[in-house]
Amino acid sequence: MNRLVSAGVVTVVMSGLIFCTSSTPNQGNIAVKENERGLKEYYKDYFLIGVAVSPQSLKTDEAALILQQFSSMTAENAMKMGPIHPGENLYNWEGADSIAAFARRHGLKLRGHTLCWHNQTAAWMFKDKEGNAVTKEVLLQRLKDHITEVVTRYKGTIYAWDVVNEVISDSPGEYFRDSPWYRICGEEFVARAFEYAHAADPSALLFYNDYNEIDPIKRKKIMKLVKDLKAAGIPIHGVGLQGHWSIYEPSESELDATLKDFSSLGLPLHVTELDISVYRKEHSRREKRPEDSNAVFSSEQESLQTEMYKRCFRLFRKYKEAVTSVTFWNISDRRSWLDQFPVSGRKDYPLLFDKNLQPKKAYFEVIGFK
Ligand code: GLA
């Protein structure tokens, strides 16, 4: 790991992982012409349309697509605990700062993601100098320092934060996910995280964010967590529904019930990480199988995906009083996290724009409403 100091910013270069500066060459015109309306205009009376970005993507032809189509951005990885806070006294601001600067320069809204998560958090957070687990007091103090530092830095630029991500268990009989946060602090870290964030920026909207919210059992648990936090007077202002779905789910009734249930909380809902995989949904990583190599975007997948996107946006519009933002998780099929998950190296085609940044059939269904 190299440490550089430039323009008052401490930069950490970690084995090319975070600061890969190579940019994709400009691949020419996009099919939606410059003066044509983008998603953000079609949806201006409904909700913000966001996209998850990397600092690198803002240096490629994807930047023009972002400006044309989207009104909001989220940092895909650059603001997560591990990348932004790799050592106890080491913050790595470069990627996050460049995304914040792009948002300010172009007047895009910016969501912050994420202040507390069990994944992509550096191991130092949970350990003392001898490598033993830290006490609850130490861990909460570290959480407070982290949240205060990060939220203060982007005060005025980030209008909403995913404060806590994915603490609810996927197992029907278990409430909280087993994680170092939970093992060391019990449930308390969740409430504290919201309080620390609110103290650092009282005007930021604070969200709890989770996936597999279409599952009725998990949904109930997420709603219980949110209701309990509200009842205890904790500053929570909204619920983030990740929306990592597939061409096979959710059904019309599942999604309708999901949006209806969450809107009954009376809090704004953000769809925070929307993508529609062309494969059946799996929530755990697994080995590649022979059939995974056959990764073409078939016309059957295309038509199922088009129908699913149409369904999702029809229902998002139906619940527009509650849904105030819909963010896609990645920009185009050129690159998605789903190319590596749940199967490493299996290409997926989950977004509205293809590898050449051309709008897919699903795009025209999403904008083609009366
Ligand atoms: C979760 C996280 C996101 C991201 C996705 C995969 O949904 O909230 O930050 O890591 O997994 O990209």
Side-chain angles (χ1 to χ4, degrees), residues 76 80 113 117 120 165-166 209 242 244 273 329 337:
E76 181 186 3
K80 289 175 178 167
H113 177 84
W117 191 27
Q120 290 183 260
N165 203 30
E166 303 181 350
N209 191 46
Q242 290 189 4
H244 290 296
E273 307 184 17
W329 205 249
W337 73 290

Side-chain angles (χ1 to χ4, degrees), residues 52 74-77 80 113-114 117 119-120 162 165-166 209-211 242-244 272-273 275 329-330 335-338 341:
T74 304
E76 181 186 3
N77 290 302
K80 289 175 178 167
H113 177 84
T114 176
W117 191 27
N119 270 332
Q120 290 183 260
D162 291 329
N165 203 30
E166 303 181 350
N209 191 46
D210 214 326
Y211 67 92
Q242 290 189 4
H244 290 296
T272 51
E273 307 184 17
D275 45 28
W329 205 249
N330 298 127
R335 195 195 72 79
S336 155
W337 73 290
L338 294 169
F341 185 90

Side-chain angles (χ1 to χ4, degrees), residues 153-271:
R153 187 172 185 94
Y154 300 111
K155 205 169 168 168
T157 300
I158 290 184
Y159 82 103
W161 272 103
D162 291 329
V163 178
V164 177
N165 203 30
E166 303 181 350
V167 299
I168 296 300
S169 170
D170 286 310
S171 317
E174 188 177 63
Y175 183 36
F176 262 60
R177 170 192 298 282
D178 182 32
S179 75
W181 293 107
Y182 184 67
R183 284 195 293 276
I184 297 173
C185 300
E187 295 179 16
E188 189 185 334
F189 70 96
V190 176
R192 296 292 87 78
F194 280 91
E195 288 170 351
Y196 303 150
H198 187 61
D201 184 357
S203 35
L205 298 175
L206 306 182
F207 282 71
Y208 174 72
N209 191 46
D210 214 326
Y211 67 92
N212 205 11
E213 63 304 90
I214 56 173
D215 175 82
I217 300 176
K218 186 161 180 191
R219 178 153 84 240
K220 232 180 171 166
K221 292 188 278 184
I222 298 172
M223 290 179 62
K224 172 179 162 42
L225 176 73
V226 173
K227 281 183 190 163
D228 288 352
L229 290 168
K230 264 182 76 179
I234 303 301
I236 175 168
H237 309 120
V239 186
L241 315 177
Q242 290 189 4
H244 290 296
W245 297 325
S246 119
I247 56 177
Y248 304 107
E249 64 175 59
S251 68
E252 178 90 15
S253 60
E254 271 171 339
L255 185 55
D256 199 310
T258 300
L259 295 169
K260 189 168 175 216
D261 285 354
F262 280 114
S263 43
S264 75
L265 292 170
L267 295 175
L269 306 178
H270 283 187
V271 178

Side-chain angles (χ1 to χ4, degrees), residues 29-93:
N29 294 330
I30 52 176
V32 181
K33 303 274 168 2
E34 245 169 51
N35 51 2
E36 279 175 15
R37 296 197 292 165
L39 292 165
K40 61 180 177 183
E41 274 94 27
Y42 287 97
Y43 279 91
K44 72 175 175 0
D45 297 329
Y46 291 88
F47 30 73
L48 295 168
I49 301 279
V51 61
V53 303
S54 64
Q56 300 90 289
S57 64
L58 303 180
K59 297 180 192 148
T60 71
D61 51 343
E62 291 177 308
L65 186 71
I66 293 168
L67 294 179
Q68 183 187 47
Q69 298 288 333
F70 300 97
S71 41
S72 169
M73 295 194 307
T74 304
E76 181 186 3
N77 290 302
M79 294 183 187
K80 289 175 178 167
M81 252 181 174
I84 213 168
H85 197 174
E88 185 162 10
N89 298 308
L90 192 61
Y91 283 89
N92 160 28
W93 301 114

